[in-house]
């Protein structure tokens, strides 16, 4: 407990991964990162779906400058918490898949999905209007225009997409709104941070509604990945347990092999039987990130 609290409370020690944009790939920059001590996050991860997803991590606290949005100019890279890629790896997106990213903003996981291949459709949804605008700008910064036909961006209440589009998707990602143990601690907006703390008790109900909507949006045999960036059991395994007990047409998918393939970079909390939880510690400040996967049987 003490080690990850210490890591969370020391933002000067946080690490940042660099996800390259395959649509504007800079080989020179990749070589420069390696010279600076960065290594590939996924070099030992199995599966051809990872081959085009290039992400580099460093054991130091170095951070590249963020690239500014410039209309008509694609960015070379996206900075992120490396653990944020675990839900995308768990999703196992394939070319031609119909994919729904239910709570998509700010767009990092959508960008990562598109680094792994070309879906038949990627529906990126964000309910909050300001975050929706942010999402649209992020996608414009990373995607070539010829890919726009494969991407749909909507501003809908994710709790109702399942009933609007039942059985439409092969895969759904629910990176749910959560109490976010990293960002609220250092939010510059004290009112927003205080509001988030006050709303913590209401979040599990919302998360269950979003996950239920995602299951409804899946075709039989499809899979949903549920993720948060909180340590809260009530928002993590308890939400998944609720779905398993109330929906007789879903089952838990074992992610042990996938998580083991990148385990040298992350510290996983022990004792989790419903999903996997990355906890930050000194030298590995990735997370918190909870990931679980469900399959719709019929």
């Amino acid at each position: 407990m003490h080690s990850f609290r210490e890591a969370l409370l020391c933002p000067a020690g946080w690490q940042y991964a660099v996800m390259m944009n395959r649509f504007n790939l800079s080989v020179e920059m990749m070589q420069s990162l390696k010279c600076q001590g960065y290594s590939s996050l996924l070099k030992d991860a199995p599966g051809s779906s990872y081959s085009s997803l290039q992400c580099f991590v460093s054991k130091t606290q170095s951070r590249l400058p963020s690239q500014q949005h410039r209309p008509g100019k694609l960015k070379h890279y996206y900075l992120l918490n490396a653990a944020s890629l675990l839900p995308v790896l768990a999703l196992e997106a394939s070319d031609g898949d119909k994919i729904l990213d239910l709570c998509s903003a700010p767009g990092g996981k959508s960008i990562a999905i598109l680094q792994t291949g070309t879906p038949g459709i990627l529906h990126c949804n964000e309910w909050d209007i300001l975050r929706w605008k942010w999402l649209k700008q992020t996608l414009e910064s990373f995607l070539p225009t010829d890919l726009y036909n494969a991407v749909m961006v909507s501003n809908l209440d994710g709790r109702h997409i399942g009933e609007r589009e039942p059985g439409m998707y092969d895969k759904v990602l629910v990176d749910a709104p959560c109490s976010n143990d990293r960002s609220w601690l250092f939010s510059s907006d004290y009112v927003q941070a205080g509001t988030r703390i006050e709303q913590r008790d209401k979040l599990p109900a919302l998360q269950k509604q979003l996950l239920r909507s995602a299951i409804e949006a899946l075709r039989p045999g499809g899979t949903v990945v549920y993720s948060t960036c909180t340590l809260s059991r009530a928002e993590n395994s308890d939400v998944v347990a609720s779905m398993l007990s109330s929906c007789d047409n879903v089952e838990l998918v074992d992610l042990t092999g996938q998580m083991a393939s990148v385990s040298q970079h992350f510290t996983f909390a022990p004792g989790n039987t419903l999903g996997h939880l990355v906890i930050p510690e000194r030298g590995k400040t990735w997370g918190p990130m909870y990931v679980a996967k469900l399959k719709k049987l019929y």
Side-chain angles (χ1 to χ4, degrees), residues 22-94:
R22 71 182 177 107
F23 305 111
N24 191 20
L25 192 62
S26 171
V27 176
E28 294 81 4
M29 184 177 177
M30 291 172 63
Q31 291 298 326
S32 175
L33 287 172
K34 292 177 182 178
C35 291
Q36 295 176 54
Y38 283 80
S39 60
S40 174
L41 176 71
L42 304 173
K43 64 180 180 180
D44 299 320
S48 58
S49 63
Y50 303 147
S51 60
S52 59
L53 179 55
Q54 299 284 343
C55 184
F56 293 88
V57 294
S58 172
K59 294 183 179 179
T60 69
Q61 288 74 49
S62 59
R63 176 177 179 173
L64 297 185
S66 298
Q67 293 184 307
Q68 298 300 311
H69 173 71
R70 290 186 289 171
K73 178 70 174 179
L74 297 184
K75 293 183 180 182
H76 290 298
Y77 61 86
Y78 187 97
L79 300 180
L80 74 166
N81 183 325
S84 297
L85 287 181
L86 295 182
V88 176
L89 300 184
L91 195 67
E92 295 184 291
S94 300

Side-chain angles (χ1 to χ4, degrees), residues 9-11 17 50 104 106 110 138 164 181 206 230 240 262 275 281:
L9 291 170
C10 185
Y50 303 147
S104 189
S110 291
T138 300
R164 288 171 58 106
D181 292 305
L206 171 63
T230 180
V240 172
V262 291
E281 65 175 15

Side-chain angles (χ1 to χ4, degrees), residues 121-197:
I121 184 68
L122 174 60
H123 179 178
C124 304
N125 179 68
E126 176 55 46
W127 177 72
D128 183 276
I129 188 64
L130 293 179
R131 287 172 59 83
W132 173 74
K133 292 178 180 178
W134 185 8
L135 168 64
K136 290 186 67 177
Q137 186 179 90
T138 300
L139 293 170
E140 290 169 2
S141 292
F142 283 88
L143 304 183
T145 55
D146 60 1
L147 200 58
Y148 285 3
N149 288 338
V151 180
M152 179 176 70
V153 185
S154 64
N155 176 222
L156 302 170
D157 186 334
R159 294 173 294 181
H160 304 303
I161 287 182
E163 63 187 11
R164 288 171 58 106
E165 301 181 316
M168 288 291 294
Y169 296 97
D170 302 301
K171 291 161 187 175
V172 180
L173 174 61
V174 183
D175 188 44
C178 68
S179 49
N180 197 327
D181 292 305
R182 181 181 290 254
S183 68
W184 74 262
L185 288 169
F186 300 97
S187 174
S188 59
D189 187 335
Y190 297 109
V191 175
Q192 184 184 64
T195 300
R196 185 175 292 154
I197 295 171

